[in-house]
Amino acid sequence: MVDVSDTINCQRREAGSKGMARSLRAAGQLPGVLYGPAVEPTPITLNPRAFVHQRRTFGRAHTFKLQLDGEQTFDVFIQSIDTDPVSGAVMHVDLYHIDPNRAVSVDVRIELQGRPVGVSMGGSLVQRMHTIKMHGLPKIIPDVIYVDVSHLNVGDSIHVRDLTFAEGLQSMVQGGESIAAVPEVQKEEVLTPAEAAKAAAAAAPAAGGKAAPAGKAAPAGKAAPAKAAPKAKG
């Protein structure tokens, strides 16, 4: 396996239009911007394939070394990434030059560890939060937050308030937010033979089809003709 460096090599570029950005991507370069409290916004280009490997390896919360034109070096966070909605390819990246003495807010990846005891009882583990926004000095923000879920039984869950962070590091998410859970197992109702027969009878159409029609009434406004009584003989 090839080792991946956390040094991002980039070059200055001229600020341009969207058309120029498309031309850069067509030439195999990734456009971006370097900015921060101690540096003027600087348009840059970098290697897209190397950047994707670095982001996957270290995560967005990692403090990268940015080497500009092989000369200047900056400590940076990946502030934002624009991707193509169809292909998912990285289209543009913003890199934030950090001040080591100034707190920042960063999305940190959550990684679950362990196999919940509830899984052995038929439950399934559901991860409801994959990143968490943390606030603190850059040096104490971790690349990844590991969450032990091995103790979760069926019906249990773990929340943000259950996590313990380093001194000076705080979550920007409500404590009641669920990170992972092992939901209750939904049991299928099993009917007894008698209950099944009763349900089938209720669902079946009435026997004999349609009811026999009642006798027809005389047409409205017409009375039935009366028969004359027979004349007596004699």
Side-chain angles (χ1 to χ4, degrees):
M1 182 176 178
V2 179
D3 290 335
V4 179
S5 170
D6 67 349
T7 297
I8 299 175
N9 295 299
C10 67
Q11 295 77 39
R12 284 185 177 86
R13 65 176 174 88
E14 292 184 6
S17 62
K18 291 184 178 180
M20 180 178 289
R22 286 194 294 268
S23 298
L24 288 171
R25 289 190 289 270
Q29 300 179 60
L30 174 61
V33 174
L34 167 66
Y35 70 101
V39 62
E40 290 293 324
T42 305
I44 58 174
T45 60
L46 50 152
N47 184 306
R49 181 173 296 182
F51 174 76
V52 169
H53 284 311
Q54 290 168 320
R55 183 193 61 175
R56 289 176 178 172
T57 301
F58 300 102
R60 291 183 59 165
H62 183 74
T63 301
F64 291 88
K65 294 290 185 183
L66 180 73
Q67 193 165 51
L68 181 60
D69 292 330
E71 299 172 354
Q72 294 176 281
T73 301
F74 303 90
D75 290 334
V76 299
F77 278 141
I78 300 173
Q79 183 67 20
S80 65
I81 299 173
D82 294 336
T83 58
D84 184 276
V86 178
S87 67
V90 178
M91 307 292 286
H92 187 278
V93 59
D94 288 349
L95 301 177
Y96 182 80
H97 173 44
I98 61 175
D99 181 344
N101 299 313
R102 179 180 295 185
V104 293
S105 296
V106 183
D107 288 329
V108 181
R109 179 167 56 92
I110 294 175
E111 186 173 310
L112 305 183
Q113 291 189 318
R115 186 174 188 268
V117 294
V119 171
S120 302
M121 301 174 65
S124 58
L125 177 64
V126 177
Q127 184 170 355
R128 293 174 174 159
M129 187 180 296
H130 295 270
T131 62
I132 182 171
K133 187 172 287 295
M134 304 300 299
H135 184 79
L137 294 176
K139 66 180 179 180
I140 63 173
I141 294 180
D143 295 345
V144 182
I145 291 179
Y146 298 99
V147 179
D148 181 17
V149 295
S150 60
H151 63 285
L152 295 182
N153 211 325
V154 174
D156 291 345
S157 59
I158 188 166
H159 301 82
V160 172
R161 61 172 173 263
D162 300 320
L163 303 183
T164 301
F165 304 114
E167 184 177 356
L169 184 64
Q170 63 181 20
S171 165
M172 305 297 288
V173 180
Q174 293 292 330
E177 291 291 329
S178 175
I179 295 173
V182 180
E184 294 280 357
V185 180
Q186 298 297 322
K187 295 183 179 179
E188 184 178 355
E189 184 179 2
V190 179
L191 300 178
T192 64
E195 291 172 331
K198 184 177 180 181
K210 296 181 179 179
K216 293 183 179 179
K222 293 184 180 180
K227 292 181 177 181
K231 293 182 179 181
K233 292 182 179 182

